[in-house]
C-alpha cells in the first residue's frame, strides 16, 4: 500500500475514534512524536495514547492536503473548530514506522474542553 493510501485509511479510522484499528497501521516498534508532547514508542503505547485522546475529546481530521514522497506521506489537516496542523508519516512495508505531528496544543486545550 502506498503511503498516501495508508494515510487515507488512517484518517478514516481516526475519524471513527477507533484506537485499536488505528494502532494496527503502525509497526510494533513505531514512534509517534507529536511535538507538543513526549514521543510515544511502540504500537501498544500508541494505541493507549489514541484511546485516551478519543476519550478526552471529540476530534475530527479534515484533510486539506495529502502528499507522498517515496516512503513518506505528508498530511496538512484542519478540524471543524479551526485548529490546523500537519503530520509526517514514514511508511515502511505498508505500516507507519515514524510519525511526527505539529499543532498548537494551547489552542487545542482552549477549544476542546474535557468530556464528562
Amino acid at each position: 500500500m502506498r503511503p498516501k493510501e495508508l494515510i487515507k485509511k488512517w484518517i478514516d479510522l481516526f475519524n471513527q475514534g477507533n484506537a485499536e484499528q488505528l494502532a494496527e497501521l503502525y509497526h510494533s516498534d513505531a514512534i509517534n512524536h507529536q511535538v507538543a508532547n513526549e514521543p510515544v514508542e511502540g504500537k501498544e503505547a500508541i494505541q493507549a495514547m489514541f484511546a485516551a485522546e478519543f476519550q478526552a475529546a471529540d476530534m475530527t481530521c479534515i484533510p486539506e492536503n495529502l502528499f507522498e514522497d517515496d516512503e513518506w506521506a505528508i498530511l496538512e489537516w484542519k478540524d471543524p473548530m479551526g485548529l490546523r496542523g500537519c503530520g509526517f508519516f514514514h511508511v515502511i512495508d505498508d505500516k507507519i514506522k515514524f510519525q511526527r505531528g505539529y499543532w498548537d496544543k494551547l489552542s487545542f486545550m482552549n477549544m476542546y474542553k474535557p468530556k464528562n
Side-chain angles (χ1 to χ4, degrees), residues 2-14:
R2 299 293 312 154
K4 190 173 182 178
E5 296 307 311
L6 182 69
I7 301 314
K8 286 180 182 179
K9 186 173 182 179
W10 184 96
I11 293 165
D12 289 340
L13 293 170
F14 182 92

Side-chain angles (χ1 to χ4, degrees), residues 17-32:
N18 192 327
E20 186 175 330
Q21 288 186 11
L22 198 55
E24 289 302 315
L25 300 180
Y26 291 82
H27 282 274
S28 61
D29 61 345
I31 297 172
N32 183 321

